[in-house]
Amino acid sequence: MPLRRLFAATSVAFLAVLAISPAKNVLRPYRAIQRRYFALAASRAKSLKEARGFARRKVAIQQLWLRDFDDRVDRCSTCHLGTAEASMAGAPEPFRLHPKTAHTPGDFDRFGCTSCHGGQGLATEREDAHGTAAEAGPPMTPLPLAEAGCGRCHFAESVADAPMLSRGRALLEKEGCYACHTVRGHESFRSQAPPLSTESVKTGGAWLKRWLRNPRAVDGNATMPDFQLADKEIDALSNYLFSVAPPRELAPRISLAESEPAGDAAHGKKIFSEARCISCHTVEGKGNGSAPELSKVASAATRGWIHAFLRDPQAFNPRTRMPRYHFSDGESRDVVAYIESEFRDFDAPADMLAPVHVNLTLAEAGQRIFRTAGCVSCHDPKTGERFGPDLNGIGDKKATSLDFGRRRELARTLPAWLAAKVDSPRSFAAGLKMPSFELGPEDTRAVVTALLSLAMEPPPEKYRVAAPSAVAPLPGGAVGRLFDRYRCLSCHRVGDRGEDVSTAPLTFEGSRVKRDWLVDYLVVPYSLRPILEERMPVFRMPREEAAQLADALETFFLDPQVPEDPFAGRPASDADAGEGQRLYVTLGCRACHILGSSGGYYGPPLTETPKRLKAGWIDSWLKGPKRWRSDARCPNYGLTDTDALRLTAYLESLPPAAPSKGTTP
Amino acid sequence: MRRPAIALAVILAVAACRRPAASRRASASVAAEPSYELRMGKSVFQHYCQTCHGESGAGDGFNAFNLDPKPRDLSDPAFQKSKRDADLEDAVRRGGNGVGLSPLMPPWGHTLSDQQVAEVVLYLRGLRR
């Protein structure tokens, strides 16, 4: 009897255990979610047939099989059912239509969801799939940082439709992160920070100490971050820097410049503004800000140093972006006289430029700090050496492997850790070396986005999108030396090289402007776009050099798709030009362009078009202004070939400007 | 006596399969983020429209004073109310000329994608003062 009872009890228990498996499935939350979705979709459907279709659908796991990505399976669409359903625009989560992007909805089947968003594709419960459960795998990238996903395949610095990622990558470059951290594709990065070999004859102990205390407090444009040095370290470093003897080829230049008579400050002022120094520098905050603020520079450096530097900045710092102007001795003297008279810190102590009397013990200690604090990484970069940890794969770090140190209050996630590291790197533990960049929340977020895009493993070969390489080889020889001397690439892009300060990349300059105009322009540049702070400096370039440069641009920097003669041998008639004029008015070109005495300030003035622009280029531009710059604002009017030619004919037929050309602002 | 025991066993078994609510603390992070579409619309507006229509859409961009007639005050509630989204999209695509207004407003239909036009109109709707 008791045996029978025991048998009955175990049978019931066995059945109960058997029932668990189907019960577990029936009770999964996704079933209820799918039923809710079908009801919602049916109610939003455009037709009765569609609605019935939804009502008939069966509850089932949905999945995408990603053959190219290690045969991964994404089941996100089990709950996110409306991602490709147009009627689900604006529906509540998890049913919302996925915003249209370059890859959605077209590439759902190839990429799935996790390739961009991260998370656990195989899981079918919310916390597991999103990776928020304690024991789940790596979590999803938070939506505000979602552009990190774009960066896992797109390796270019600037990625279209991913402004946050592009900004983050630009910041990593600008802040000099690559000087200390290894990141694939940036191994050849070198900081533009100057070698510190002439400090002893450049500045004084008081100024140097201020600078080392916090460079960005001295100059808002400073690229050097705050190393939070202790007073003792600052003292040692100052002693070390003053113990370094200036190189033999620079010392006499500085002392010679020091001994020269003072120039004419009023004339210097004129040259200073012509030279457009504020295309890079600022004066009391006005200017581009990619080079030092100048309003107190005479209290930061000696007259001789400033003068010798101005004459040949590249001898002082081979990595500098500063061009070598063609000032005569008298002219540079005048500019320095102006700087000496105006750009002073009138509150500075009198001994600002007094040298440090070097204590050798301290200097030795300073030399050690110079190495151990990482100063060398920027100021004396050696190939292959990187001071900080390798950042490749940082975007795939597991949160459990991160050292949160003192920051116990932080959420235990990679994005939170990265944000805190970027924002206040020293707050994790004592003795950490990364300096503080004071980026602010928006920039920090952009940098974290860029960091999260650095994956452990690159995507499959065919999904990698490298930087577009329209590599135009730079000219060598004499022209190459001119490019180098005037540092054209500090502002202009050539192919994928150079910086994008100027609105005019030089890659196809020869197809764009006429040679003779270019020679005149290089000798005495004027402002094509008066609204821009950054304008072409007057280098005082000799005419022969200008001709040499213009010839090279005319010969080699060509766009093969721009025709030499768009009229194909049949010159435009007056009637065509007349039609073109009518088009100019009806299209509203004057909203942005000045022609004659009126027009907008946005595009370049067109009065001088026949002298400046080539007909072939105008015609090509009108048919597709975005061909040369994706950020061109000039609208594409969808002109027919005939109309584009007529407008070209009109612009090329404009009468030469009246001699009062000097009024161009 | 036996039946409640079985019921209890089943309930216990099922409960054991349910996961304890692991993360109630998550989901607090994403506050009022503007949507992807809105962010894209804003960047289109800033790039192409702001110079004339102004940051707030009031028609006071820096290039506005060169224009006659002046750019439309997009933040005017009466104007916003009088236009459907489709009207605004049409005006963006075909420009002033296309909709019988000043040609100084260019047509953007060949420059912006349909998606971008929809996004910028979405952003315009938020400029209402």
Side-chain angles (χ1 to χ4, degrees):
Chain A
M1 201 57 179
L3 212 64
R4 202 184 271 182
R5 215 174 257 186
L6 191 68
F7 179 70
T10 34
S11 305
V12 167
F14 180 64
L15 281 177
V17 170
L18 268 188
I20 288 173
S21 175
K24 195 174 157 188
N25 199 20
V26 168
L27 291 167
R28 291 238 169 178
Y30 80 83
R31 301 185 148 260
I33 291 175
Q34 290 203 347
R35 271 181 238 112
R36 239 168 63 219
Y37 172 77
F38 297 146
L40 181 71
S43 73
R44 281 169 162 249
K46 291 260 167 18
S47 68
L48 201 61
K49 202 173 143 218
E50 238 180 67
R52 280 204 192 116
F54 280 116
R56 266 203 299 273
R57 270 174 66 174
K58 291 259 178 329
V59 168
I61 297 243
Q62 309 282 322
Q63 65 182 26
L64 292 165
W65 178 15
L66 311 177
R67 280 153 228 252
D68 292 339
F69 292 85
D70 297 332
D71 278 326
R72 219 163 52 205
V73 169
D74 274 3
R75 293 177 168 168
C76 313
S77 48
T78 298
C79 293
H80 294 278
L81 286 151
T83 45
E85 196 65 56
S87 66
M88 282 292 150
E93 288 295 14
F95 304 139
R96 200 161 71 93
L97 173 71
H98 192 288
K100 236 188 225 168
T101 71
H103 293 304
T104 40
D107 291 324
F108 271 140
D109 294 342
R110 284 164 65 220
F111 297 175
C113 312
T114 52
S115 307
C116 302
H117 290 285
Q120 300 300 308
L122 206 55
T124 51
E125 292 207 19
R126 186 190 153 118
E127 278 83 15
D128 289 339
H130 294 188
T132 46
E135 67 273 37
M140 281 179 70
T141 313
L143 268 190
L145 310 172
E147 287 172 21
C150 312
R152 300 207 153 209
C153 295
H154 294 267
F155 298 117
E157 282 305 281
S158 168
V159 179
D161 288 345
M164 175 105 74
L165 174 70
S166 308
R167 180 172 171 185
R169 287 188 171 165
L171 280 163
L172 287 176
E173 168 109 27
K174 178 174 160 257
E175 301 291 337
C177 307
Y178 303 133
C180 290
H181 297 284
T182 307
V183 172
R184 221 172 281 124
H186 297 275
E187 292 85 353
S188 61
F189 176 88
R190 293 286 172 274
S191 166
Q192 290 157 0
L196 299 177
S197 56
T198 57
E199 296 306 289
S200 60
V201 282
K202 172 188 176 185
T203 188
W207 186 87
L208 195 54
K209 280 171 192 166
R210 269 193 196 190
W211 176 264
L212 290 171
R213 165 95 37 237
N214 182 2
R216 291 181 187 195
V218 176
D219 178 354
N221 301 343
T223 41
M224 177 161 156
D226 180 5
F227 281 82
Q228 299 169 9
L229 298 166
D231 287 350
K232 258 166 73 182
E233 294 171 307
I234 291 177
D235 202 30
L237 277 170
S238 316
N239 272 276
Y240 166 59
L241 292 174
F242 269 82
S243 74
V244 178
R248 215 173 294 158
E249 69 275 14
L250 294 179
R253 295 193 197 186
I254 299 166
S255 50
L256 184 77
E258 191 82 58
S259 65
E260 282 182 40
D264 170 7
H267 187 227
K269 182 177 182 175
K270 192 172 148 268
I271 300 172
F272 182 87
S273 63
E274 265 178 15
R276 293 301 304 177
C277 306
I278 63 162
S279 288
C280 298
H281 293 275
T282 50
V283 174
E284 281 168 1
K286 195 176 178 308
N288 171 281
S290 58
E293 160 73 37
L294 293 179
S295 56
K296 291 173 183 169
V297 69
S299 302
T302 59
R303 187 170 74 120
W305 190 91
I306 293 177
H307 198 168
F309 181 83
L310 183 66
R311 279 185 176 150
D312 188 357
Q314 296 154 17
F316 284 76
N317 178 6
R319 300 185 298 273
T320 185
R321 298 166 62 227
M322 178 149 165
R324 223 175 111 199
Y325 284 78
H326 246 297
F327 294 133
S328 70
D329 281 354
E331 282 165 345
S332 63
R333 238 175 262 155
D334 294 349
V335 174
V336 173
Y338 171 62
I339 290 173
E340 286 289 311
S341 67
E342 288 282 325
F343 298 156
R344 292 198 158 277
D345 180 359
F346 293 100
D347 303 324
D351 64 345
M352 193 78 155
L353 294 181
V356 173
H357 295 291
V358 176
N359 169 329
L360 278 179
T361 323
L362 280 177
E364 265 173 39
Q367 185 171 18
R368 269 196 305 280
I369 295 170
F370 194 73
R371 311 227 147 257
T372 55
C375 313
V376 277
S377 300
C378 288
H379 289 288
D380 190 12
K382 301 271 191 295
T383 40
E385 262 178 59
R386 289 286 186 267
F387 188 74
D390 189 329
L391 292 183
N392 287 310
I394 187 94
D396 284 335
K397 280 254 182 189
K398 290 199 176 108
T400 45
S401 72
L402 302 171
D403 182 4
F404 282 82
R406 283 186 207 142
R407 301 294 300 268
R408 281 158 214 270
E409 87 293 358
L410 288 176
R412 300 281 168 185
T413 66
L414 176 62
W417 185 82
L418 284 174
K421 271 278 172 189
V422 173
D423 186 52
S424 41
R426 306 272 178 113
S427 63
F428 286 76
L432 293 178
K433 291 181 174 168
M434 178 162 150
S436 162
F437 290 87
E438 291 155 31
L439 288 180
E442 269 297 295
D443 283 350
T444 300
R445 190 191 277 191
V447 167
V448 172
T449 302
L451 292 174
L452 286 173
S453 78
L454 301 174
M456 210 79 88
E457 296 288 334
E461 185 89 47
K462 64 173 171 179
Y463 291 98
R464 293 176 210 167
V465 186
S469 63
V471 190
L474 289 177
V479 176
R481 280 197 294 280
L482 290 178
F483 258 78
D484 200 35
R485 169 179 188 144
Y486 296 111
R487 290 289 199 261
C488 307
L489 296 187
S490 294
C491 292
H492 295 278
R493 286 191 74 85
V494 175
D496 60 355
R497 305 170 64 168
E499 292 182 48
D500 201 20
V501 176
S502 163
T503 53
L506 298 180
T507 320
F508 302 123
E509 187 70 357
S511 294
R512 193 160 75 109
V513 299
K514 294 185 177 168
R515 187 239 172 226
D516 293 344
W517 175 86
L518 189 54
V519 176
D520 289 343
Y521 180 77
L522 287 170
V523 173
V524 189
Y526 54 93
S527 295
L528 286 167
R529 294 167 187 267
I531 57 163
L532 298 180
E533 202 99 86
E534 299 85 4
R535 304 187 206 162
M536 177 92 160
V538 178
F539 295 114
R540 316 215 143 220
M541 193 186 290
R543 187 161 278 274
E544 314 79 72
E545 289 186 2
Q548 216 169 7
L549 275 174
D551 284 336
L553 290 168
E554 171 89 3
T555 316
F556 299 113
F557 290 66
L558 299 177
D559 183 344
Q561 299 206 22
V562 173
E564 193 68 24
D565 174 19
F567 304 105
R570 282 174 288 129
S573 65
D574 287 353
D576 286 337
E579 267 308 293
Q581 181 167 19
R582 194 186 57 77
L583 279 168
Y584 188 88
V585 175
T586 54
L587 296 179
C589 306
R590 73 187 160 90
C592 294
H593 295 281
I594 296 174
L595 183 55
S597 57
S598 72
Y601 286 178
Y602 206 49
L606 296 176
T607 317
E608 287 208 322
T609 305
K611 249 179 85 184
R612 187 167 84 92
L613 295 175
K614 292 188 170 171
W617 192 85
I618 300 177
D619 183 53
S620 306
W621 173 271
L622 288 171
K623 285 192 258 178
K626 288 213 186 274
R627 191 171 140 58
W628 294 276
R629 285 194 72 102
S630 60
D631 61 349
R633 267 104 164 168
C634 185
N636 182 343
Y637 285 89
L639 295 178
T640 62
D641 287 358
T642 325
D643 279 352
L645 270 182
R646 284 170 171 162
L647 197 44
T648 307
Y650 167 60
L651 291 171
E652 283 289 290
S653 73
L654 291 171
S660 65
K661 184 191 105 185
T663 53
T664 329
Chain B
M1 204 58 222
R2 202 178 292 163
R3 238 180 281 157
I6 294 171
L8 192 71
V10 169
I11 289 170
L12 278 179
V14 168
C17 299
R18 306 276 306 152
R19 189 176 296 284
S23 60
R24 253 172 243 117
R25 59 198 138 79
S27 85
S29 58
V30 184
E33 264 305 304
S35 72
Y36 175 84
E37 292 90 339
L38 205 57
R39 278 192 286 140
M40 287 297 160
K42 183 177 181 181
S43 71
V44 171
F45 183 85
Q46 286 178 333
H47 194 79
Y48 293 103
C49 317
Q50 194 165 312
T51 36
C52 295
H53 287 288
E55 197 179 340
S56 63
D60 56 356
F62 79 83
N63 196 37
F65 85 103
N66 294 312
L67 306 180
D68 183 24
K70 296 283 170 229
R72 167 83 74 187
D73 177 357
L74 300 171
S75 63
D76 177 8
F79 165 74
Q80 290 253 358
K81 216 173 151 189
S82 69
K83 301 286 179 195
R84 293 172 304 140
D85 284 356
D87 299 333
L88 293 176
E89 287 182 15
D90 188 44
V92 172
R93 271 199 204 98
R94 296 198 291 145
N97 244 348
V99 296
L101 293 166
S102 162
L104 299 182
M105 161 82 185
W108 296 104
H110 294 279
T111 306
L112 303 177
S113 67
D114 287 354
Q115 172 76 9
Q116 285 177 307
V117 173
E119 284 162 357
V120 82
V121 167
L122 186 71
Y123 181 73
L124 292 186
R125 288 302 188 189
L127 290 176
R128 188 173 174 161
R129 50 165 192 259

